[in-house]
Amino acid sequence: MSIACYSKTIEQYGFSIIPGVLDKHQVAALRYEVRSALGRRSAKQYAMRRLLELVRGVSQLCEETAIRTLLEPIIGDRAFPVRGIFFDKNPEANWGVSWHQDLTIAVIQRIDTEGFGPWSIKEGVDHVQPPVSILEKMLTLRIHLDDTDADNGALRLIPGSHRRGIISPETIANLKKHAITTTVKSGGVLVMKPLLVHSSLPAGQPSHRRVLHIEFAAEELPNGLQWYGS
């Protein structure tokens, strides 16, 4: 896919699926590093929020040419990671997520700022909902460490919904008829805008569905606020 076509796809639909970004050796190395970072956690503890901090290989991956090529045409060459989350949907942790938009960001310290709120704390990290103008300039890469399809709880998306700002639950309910289910092979990347409405169902045939969810921005925050992952 050309850069122009890729950029137009993100602008119009809010997402693009890029196969084969990582090879099998890179995928295996990331699986090993994440498993080591999880340590003695049980499979029921299916998420790790401080991914960029705890898994060095993920932070290094964010600087690789293959990843920069996906970021820079959309949000520019100053793009940097601001939050990383690991998800593993598996037989012991087979959950579903209702339709939503990703509306919060992680910051180093709470500083009350006009237009930012409400605030929350997740695993000891301050989170806040920023103005829509900030979310519109961000980009999320979901790096798949397993094949993912409708059978094992793949992400469902409503194409184009990222262009509507913050959407009410009533409007989301009306848009669901336009939803699609994504299919991404191991090593592939689902690139998406945070405001894109998405959800996932529990897996019909549960197996590992390991995903590195990494959010990127290219601008600093106002009033002394600092991105947590920067």
Side-chain angles (χ1 to χ4, degrees), residues 121-166:
I121 297 177
K122 301 174 183 179
E123 290 193 10
V125 178
D126 287 307
H127 286 67
V128 65
Q129 182 174 318
V132 170
S133 59
I134 289 176
L135 296 170
E136 288 174 336
K137 296 174 184 176
M138 295 175 64
L139 194 67
T140 299
L141 269 55
R142 290 175 59 91
I143 301 167
H144 288 246
L145 304 184
D146 298 288
D147 291 348
T148 305
D149 55 26
D151 288 334
N152 68 342
L155 210 65
R156 298 182 297 168
L157 308 172
I158 301 177
S161 55
H162 66 298
R163 296 184 292 176
R164 295 170 172 258
I166 297 177

Coordinates of all heavy atoms in Angstrom, one line a residue, residues 121-166:
I121 N -7.4 7.0 38.5 CA -6.1 6.4 38.7 C -6.2 4.9 38.4 O -7.1 4.2 38.8 CB -5.7 6.5 40.2 CG1 -5.5 8.0 40.5 CG2 -4.4 5.8 40.4 CD1 -5.1 8.3 42.0
K122 N -5.3 4.4 37.5 CA -5.3 3.0 37.1 C -3.9 2.5 37.4 O -2.9 3.0 36.8 CB -5.7 2.9 35.6 CG -7.1 3.4 35.3 CD -7.3 3.4 33.8 CE -8.7 4.0 33.5 NZ -9.0 4.0 32.0
E123 N -3.8 1.5 38.2 CA -2.5 0.9 38.6 C -1.5 1.9 39.0 O -0.3 1.9 38.7 CB -2.0 0.0 37.4 CG -2.8 -1.3 37.2 CD -2.0 -2.3 36.3 OE1 -0.8 -2.0 36.0 OE2 -2.7 -3.2 35.9
G124 N -2.0 2.9 39.8 CA -1.1 3.9 40.4 C -0.8 5.0 39.4 O 0.0 5.9 39.8
V125 N -1.3 5.0 38.2 CA -1.0 6.1 37.2 C -2.2 7.0 37.0 O -3.3 6.5 36.8 CB -0.6 5.4 35.9 CG1 -0.3 6.5 34.8 CG2 0.6 4.5 36.1
D126 N -2.0 8.3 37.0 CA -3.0 9.3 36.8 C -3.5 9.2 35.3 O -2.7 9.2 34.4 CB -2.6 10.7 37.1 CG -2.4 10.9 38.6 OD1 -3.4 10.6 39.3 OD2 -1.4 11.3 39.1
H127 N -4.8 9.2 35.1 CA -5.4 9.2 33.8 C -6.4 10.3 33.7 O -7.0 10.7 34.8 CB -6.1 7.9 33.5 CG -5.2 6.8 33.2 ND1 -4.3 6.2 34.1 CD2 -4.9 6.1 32.0 CE1 -3.6 5.2 33.5 NE2 -4.0 5.1 32.3
V128 N -6.6 10.9 32.6 CA -7.5 12.0 32.4 C -8.1 12.0 31.0 O -7.4 11.6 30.1 CB -6.8 13.4 32.7 CG1 -5.8 13.7 31.7 CG2 -7.9 14.5 32.8
Q129 N -9.3 12.5 30.9 CA -9.9 12.7 29.5 C -9.5 14.1 29.0 O -9.8 15.1 29.6 CB -11.4 12.6 29.6 CG -12.0 12.8 28.2 CD -13.5 12.5 28.2 OE1 -14.0 11.6 28.9 NE2 -14.3 13.3 27.5
P130 N -8.7 14.2 27.9 CA -8.2 15.5 27.4 C -9.3 16.0 26.4 O -10.2 15.4 26.1 CB -7.0 15.1 26.7 CG -7.3 13.7 26.1 CD -8.1 13.1 27.2
P131 N -9.0 17.3 25.9 CA -9.9 17.8 24.9 C -9.8 16.9 23.6 O -8.8 16.2 23.4 CB -9.3 19.2 24.6 CG -8.6 19.5 25.9 CD -8.0 18.2 26.4
V132 N -10.9 16.9 22.9 CA -11.0 16.1 21.7 C -9.9 16.4 20.7 O -9.4 15.5 20.0 CB -12.4 16.3 21.0 CG1 -12.4 15.6 19.6 CG2 -13.5 15.7 21.8
S133 N -9.5 17.7 20.7 CA -8.4 18.1 19.7 C -7.1 17.3 20.0 O -6.3 17.1 19.0 CB -8.2 19.6 19.9 OG -7.8 19.9 21.2
I134 N -6.9 16.9 21.2 CA -5.6 16.1 21.5 C -5.8 14.7 21.0 O -5.0 14.1 20.4 CB -5.3 16.2 23.0 CG1 -4.8 17.6 23.3 CG2 -4.3 15.1 23.4 CD1 -4.5 17.8 24.8
L135 N -7.0 14.1 21.3 CA -7.3 12.7 20.9 C -7.2 12.6 19.3 O -6.8 11.6 18.8 CB -8.6 12.3 21.4 CG -8.7 12.2 22.9 CD1 -10.2 12.0 23.3 CD2 -7.9 11.0 23.5
E136 N -7.7 13.6 18.6 CA -7.7 13.6 17.2 C -6.3 13.5 16.6 O -6.2 13.0 15.4 CB -8.5 14.8 16.6 CG -10.0 14.8 16.9 CD -10.6 16.1 16.5 OE1 -10.0 17.1 16.4 OE2 -11.9 16.0 16.2
K137 N -5.3 13.9 17.3 CA -3.9 14.0 16.8 C -3.1 12.8 17.2 O -1.9 12.7 17.0 CB -3.3 15.3 17.3 CG -3.9 16.5 16.7 CD -3.3 17.8 17.3 CE -4.0 19.0 16.8 NZ -3.4 20.2 17.5
M138 N -3.8 11.8 17.9 CA -3.1 10.6 18.4 C -3.3 9.4 17.4 O -4.1 9.5 16.5 CB -3.5 10.3 19.8 CG -3.2 11.3 20.8 SD -3.9 10.9 22.5 CE -3.0 9.3 22.8
L139 N -2.5 8.4 17.6 CA -2.6 7.2 16.8 C -2.3 6.0 17.7 O -1.3 6.1 18.5 CB -1.7 7.3 15.6 CG -1.9 6.2 14.5 CD1 -3.2 6.5 13.8 CD2 -0.8 6.3 13.4
T140 N -3.0 4.9 17.5 CA -2.8 3.7 18.2 C -2.3 2.6 17.3 O -2.9 2.4 16.2 CB -4.1 3.3 19.0 OG1 -4.5 4.3 19.9 CG2 -3.9 1.9 19.7
L141 N -1.3 1.8 17.7 CA -0.9 0.6 17.0 C -1.2 -0.6 17.9 O -0.7 -0.6 19.0 CB 0.6 0.7 16.7 CG 1.0 1.3 15.3 CD1 0.5 2.7 15.2 CD2 2.5 1.3 15.2
R142 N -1.9 -1.5 17.4 CA -2.2 -2.8 18.0 C -1.4 -3.9 17.3 O -1.8 -4.3 16.2 CB -3.7 -3.1 18.0 CG -4.5 -2.1 18.9 CD -6.0 -2.4 18.8 NE -6.4 -3.8 19.2 CZ -6.7 -4.1 20.4 NH1 -6.7 -3.3 21.4 NH2 -7.1 -5.4 20.7
I143 N -0.3 -4.3 18.0 CA 0.6 -5.2 17.4 C 0.2 -6.6 17.8 O 0.2 -6.9 19.0 CB 2.1 -4.9 17.8 CG1 2.4 -3.4 17.4 CG2 3.1 -5.9 17.3 CD1 3.7 -2.9 18.0
H144 N -0.1 -7.5 16.9 CA -0.6 -8.8 17.2 C 0.5 -9.8 17.3 O 1.3 -10.0 16.4 CB -1.6 -9.2 16.1 CG -2.9 -8.4 16.2 ND1 -4.1 -9.0 16.6 CD2 -3.2 -7.1 16.1 CE1 -5.1 -8.0 16.6 NE2 -4.5 -6.9 16.3
L145 N 0.5 -10.6 18.4 CA 1.4 -11.6 18.6 C 0.8 -13.0 18.4 O 1.5 -14.0 18.6 CB 2.0 -11.6 20.1 CG 2.6 -10.2 20.5 CD1 3.2 -10.3 21.9 CD2 3.7 -9.8 19.5
D146 N -0.5 -13.0 18.0 CA -1.2 -14.3 17.7 C -2.1 -13.9 16.5 O -2.5 -12.8 16.3 CB -2.0 -14.8 18.8 CG -1.2 -15.2 20.0 OD1 -0.5 -16.2 20.0 OD2 -1.2 -14.4 21.0
D147 N -2.5 -15.0 15.7 CA -3.5 -14.8 14.7 C -4.8 -14.4 15.5 O -5.2 -15.0 16.5 CB -3.7 -16.1 13.9 CG -2.6 -16.4 13.0 OD1 -1.7 -15.5 12.9 OD2 -2.5 -17.6 12.5
T148 N -5.5 -13.5 14.9 CA -6.8 -13.0 15.6 C -7.9 -12.9 14.6 O -7.7 -12.3 13.5 CB -6.5 -11.6 16.2 OG1 -5.4 -11.7 17.1 CG2 -7.7 -11.2 17.0
D149 N -9.0 -13.5 14.9 CA -10.2 -13.5 14.0 C -11.4 -13.5 14.9 O -11.4 -13.4 16.1 CB -10.2 -14.6 13.0 CG -10.0 -16.0 13.6 OD1 -10.5 -16.2 14.8 OD2 -9.5 -16.9 12.9
A150 N -12.6 -13.7 14.2 CA -13.9 -13.7 14.9 C -14.0 -14.8 16.0 O -14.7 -14.7 17.0 CB -15.0 -13.8 13.9
D151 N -13.3 -15.9 15.8 CA -13.3 -17.1 16.7 C -12.6 -16.8 18.0 O -13.0 -17.4 19.0 CB -12.8 -18.3 16.0 CG -13.7 -18.9 14.9 OD1 -14.9 -18.6 15.0 OD2 -13.1 -19.5 14.0
N152 N -11.6 -15.9 18.0 CA -10.9 -15.7 19.3 C -11.0 -14.3 19.8 O -10.0 -13.8 20.3 CB -9.5 -16.3 19.2 CG -8.6 -15.5 18.3 OD1 -9.1 -14.7 17.5 ND2 -7.3 -15.6 18.5
G153 N -12.1 -13.7 19.5 CA -12.4 -12.4 20.1 C -11.7 -11.2 19.5 O -11.2 -10.3 20.2
A154 N -11.6 -11.1 18.2 CA -11.0 -10.0 17.5 C -11.8 -8.7 17.7 O -12.9 -8.7 18.1 CB -11.0 -10.3 16.0
L155 N -11.1 -7.6 17.4 CA -11.7 -6.3 17.6 C -12.8 -6.1 16.5 O -12.6 -6.4 15.4 CB -10.6 -5.2 17.5 CG -10.8 -3.9 18.3 CD1 -10.8 -4.2 19.8 CD2 -9.7 -2.9 17.9
R156 N -13.9 -5.5 17.0 CA -14.9 -5.0 16.0 C -14.8 -3.5 16.0 O -14.6 -2.8 17.0 CB -16.3 -5.5 16.5 CG -16.4 -7.0 16.6 CD -17.9 -7.4 17.0 NE -18.2 -6.9 18.4 CZ -19.4 -6.9 18.9 NH1 -20.4 -7.3 18.2 NH2 -19.6 -6.4 20.1
L157 N -15.0 -2.9 14.8 CA -14.9 -1.5 14.6 C -16.1 -1.0 13.8 O -16.7 -1.7 13.0 CB -13.6 -1.2 13.7 CG -12.3 -1.9 14.2 CD1 -11.2 -1.6 13.1 CD2 -11.8 -1.2 15.5
I158 N -16.3 0.3 14.0 CA -17.3 1.1 13.2 C -16.6 2.0 12.3 O -16.1 3.1 12.8 CB -18.3 1.8 14.1 CG1 -19.1 0.8 15.0 CG2 -19.3 2.5 13.2 CD1 -20.1 1.4 16.0
P159 N -16.3 1.7 11.1 CA -15.5 2.5 10.2 C -16.1 4.0 10.1 O -17.3 4.2 10.0 CB -15.6 1.8 8.9 CG -15.9 0.4 9.2 CD -16.8 0.5 10.4
G160 N -15.1 4.9 10.2 CA -15.5 6.3 10.0 C -16.0 7.0 11.3 O -16.2 8.2 11.3
S161 N -16.2 6.2 12.3 CA -16.8 6.8 13.6 C -15.8 7.8 14.3 O -16.3 8.6 15.1 CB -17.2 5.7 14.5 OG -16.2 4.9 14.8
H162 N -14.5 7.8 13.9 CA -13.6 8.6 14.5 C -13.8 10.1 14.1 O -13.2 11.0 14.8 CB -12.1 8.2 14.1 CG -11.9 8.4 12.7 ND1 -12.6 7.7 11.7 CD2 -11.0 9.2 12.0 CE1 -12.1 8.1 10.5 NE2 -11.2 9.0 10.7
R163 N -14.6 10.3 13.1 CA -14.7 11.7 12.6 C -15.9 12.4 13.3 O -16.2 13.6 12.9 CB -14.9 11.7 11.1 CG -13.7 11.1 10.4 CD -13.9 11.2 8.9 NE -14.9 10.3 8.4 CZ -15.3 10.2 7.1 NH1 -14.8 11.0 6.2 NH2 -16.2 9.3 6.8
R164 N -16.5 11.8 14.3 CA -17.7 12.4 14.9 C -17.5 13.0 16.3 O -18.4 13.3 17.0 CB -18.8 11.3 15.0 CG -19.3 10.8 13.6 CD -20.2 9.6 13.8 NE -20.9 9.2 12.6 CZ -22.2 9.4 12.3 NH1 -22.9 10.1 13.2 NH2 -22.7 9.0 11.2
G165 N -16.2 13.1 16.7 CA -15.9 13.6 18.0 C -16.3 12.5 19.1 O -16.3 11.3 18.8
I166 N -16.7 13.0 20.3 CA -17.2 12.1 21.3 C -18.6 11.7 21.0 O -19.5 12.6 20.9 CB -17.0 12.7 22.7 CG1 -15.5 12.9 23.0 CG2 -17.6 11.8 23.8 CD1 -15.2 13.6 24.3

